Amino acid sequence: MELLIAFSLLIVLIVFQEQIFCFSLSIPASPGYYQDGHFVIGGLFSLRVTARDKRIKFGFNDTMAIPEVVIVNLTKNYQHMLAMVFAIEKINKEPNILFNMSLGFYLFNDDFFETRAMESSMALLSGGSPPIPNYSCRPEKTDKLVAVIGGISTGISAQISRVLSLYNVPQISYAPFDASLGTRIQLESPYQFPVHTAALYQGIIHLLLYFTWVWVGLVVPDDMRGEHFIKEIREEMINHGICVTFAEKGPVFPSFGDIGWYQLIISLTLTRIVIAFGDTHDFLKLVSLIISSKTFGNIWITTSDWYTAILPFKQNLIYTYFGGALSFSVHKDEILGFKDFQRSVHPTKYPHDIFIQHVWSNLFECPHFYEHGVKKLSQCEQNGSLSTRSLNVWDMNTSPLSYNVHAAVYAITQALHEELSLRVNGDSLDQGGLQPPLPWKLHPFLQKGKLGRNINEENAVNQEDSATKIDIFNYHPLQRGTKAQVKVGEFLFESHSVQHLSLNDKLINLGVYNNQIPLSGCKRSCLLGFRKIEVSSYAFCCYDCAPCPAGEITNETGMDQCFKCPEDQYPNKWRNQCLPKIIAFLSHEDTLGMVLVSVAISLSAFSAMILGLFIRYRDTPIVRANNRNLSYVLLVSLMLCFFCSLIFIGQPRTLTCVLRQMIFGVVFSVAVSAILAKTFIVVMAFKVIKPGSTLQMWIVTRLSNAIVCCGSIIQVCICAVWLGTYPPFPDVDLQSEYGQIILLCNEGSTLAFYCVLGYLGFLASLSLLIAFLARRLPDTFNEAKTITFSMMVFCSVWISFIPTYLSSTGKTMVAVEIFSILASSAGLLGCMFLPKCYVILLMSGSHSRKKFFK
């Protein structure tokens, strides 16, 4: 009998083990806010930060409870809960959505603590607090659970997923998308609302380039998300010429004795601009350091809308020293009716909301007391409203995370609607014996929505419109009637090739800089006229400036290379601008041109006077000696030589370029041939011809005329060949003279040009040689000495002409040739005819021929 009784008791214990165990541990260690419905959605939120032991505790009984101290009350995060309550109330008012069935919720606060998040997840599954793993203590709650929304960070979301994925319960994380969340845990990852990270990166880079900030620091939380951000943003920055001077990582909640962010204080001195990737809860410790490091005057750029009200009811120093910061936030439209809902929220309206008591106490500074472990308010405003609170403690605008919570509720509702629709179509929906769908049945419907489970699946960013709009906010110091955050611009990203940044500079307040844009670079940008030269591994940020070389400029600051001006322009002396070159040629208006014209005309007139003198005294012995016709030819050719120099002056044209060298060559060949003929007559007269032999003298005269004709014809042939092959033509010289475009005559065939000069030199050398040999003949009618001297002058001029001509450019080259023509012609004129003019004018009139010969 005793054995039978013992066996019966054992069976009873086994049957009622679950109920006894649940009853023995039903201590309200982690209470939640519950509202019943046909379907229940769990919510795990974070309203405050507590200091607790970092060791993970299991057991969840009162003997192992860990004392907690509240560090920060994030009252604004209560809006996340309100967004969920508002969405569920609005859905329940529409009976057709869930076929006359309602939604309920079960909300918990995990206080940014991963252990509590895991505990709350188990409480959702077991229906009681503390939770009982693998047991359902309250089936009326747990059997209705269809999905869970939470948590606010990657670490919390991962811990929640470790529990919920064991039972295949759908989880939607309302935190910003984290690509590492899909790989850091082995089990099924939560659904997320992805954002276009490329749009965020490009927006930051466009903002930096807009203000020419190319020397920046990075601050990220010490997790996979921070590592991923540093890797991707650094590559994009390098591609756009922006340098990362430091990349500091720190723990989200540093424990006592942890260095944490204190190393960042040293790095803040290296740059003015700091980019912080993360949300408010990632940098709670960092915010206090910003106040202590105010002397550095840094401007912060955040990748999310920071909630910086650490001390809610005081004029926060954070807004004074964080003022001037710029934040990026993916554009979200306001939730219709949500502001009115927030105005209506009051503790008396939601008496079962255990969280509103704590939030209301902080927002309205109400005295409170605890009754049976529950916070009770006293002496609060009867008609208090959230809309009356200042912006630093409560913002009526919908935060991005609240928008995600609201969207998550509707995503779950849509999945429920589709699952129930299948049951209605199959006539299997019986509201009398209604059973909520098993949570895992919602996965196919959630996967079709705008959600992503991991980085390998198509997610919302691929399904939404291609354009991503990001709002840019500026933090202003809090003043009466002044918003804490002001929208100052937006960035529209359609693709990597279609992007647009718009900023309202008038609204931007840069805090301590008094709206003066600070410089952020390893070195100030190189000025105009200078280029960068590398001095370190940060080649495009740290550099020295070197002046541009001659002939090159930079017309923008900070250029890597100088560039040359177009050929028709030249750099100014500062080498920052190209000026049009001046067109230059030897013109008649130039001083040098006028002098040469005057000299040429004077010498031509002088030659004409000598010619007239010789014609008048043509019967005198001094004129008749050595063939007076040759003297006429020589004088005429010299006069033409002086005149031909005028063709070289003026703007070069095709006709003048061709004529001037040809006329010069032919006329000079006539002059030098005439001198050669005169030399021939001198030699023949004293060496070959007998005195009184008229016939022989006639033959010599004919030969001298032939010499002139043959010498000239040969030069004409050379010029004809020159014209027929490669004649001279007008040309421009853009390089020889700085700042000038020189108009000149290109000689065409250089060989032909020097052949003309060489032939003249041959005739002159031959005349010089013959005259030199005949210099000792009788002096009375002997021109050998004067010919010798004139040829020496002629040869000296043209021998010195060649190197001078080759070393000259522009107008100087033309002037050298004109001077050589005038000097050699004047030398011939002076040496050959001035002595004869002296004799004609001063001696022939007073002496007889006989006396003259004596």
Side-chain angles (χ1 to χ4, degrees), residues 735-754:
Q735 306 298 332
S736 298
E737 294 290 340
Y738 183 77
Q740 293 184 355
I741 299 176
I742 301 173
L743 302 183
L744 50 81
C745 287
N746 192 312
E747 306 304 344
S749 174
T750 306
L751 177 62
F753 174 68
Y754 286 108

Side-chain angles (χ1 to χ4, degrees), residues 64 126 131 144 208 216 221 264 276 295 302 321 357 372 385 401 447 481 531 562 669 686 715 739 749 770-771 803 819:
M64 299 189 68
S126 63
K144 297 178 181 179
L208 296 176
V216 301
L264 177 63
T295 55
T302 67
Y321 301 116
Q357 306 293 330
H372 303 294
S385 173
L401 296 186
Q447 290 171 357
R531 64 180 178 88
C562 303
S669 66
F686 288 93
Q715 187 72 293
S749 174
I770 297 174
F819 177 79

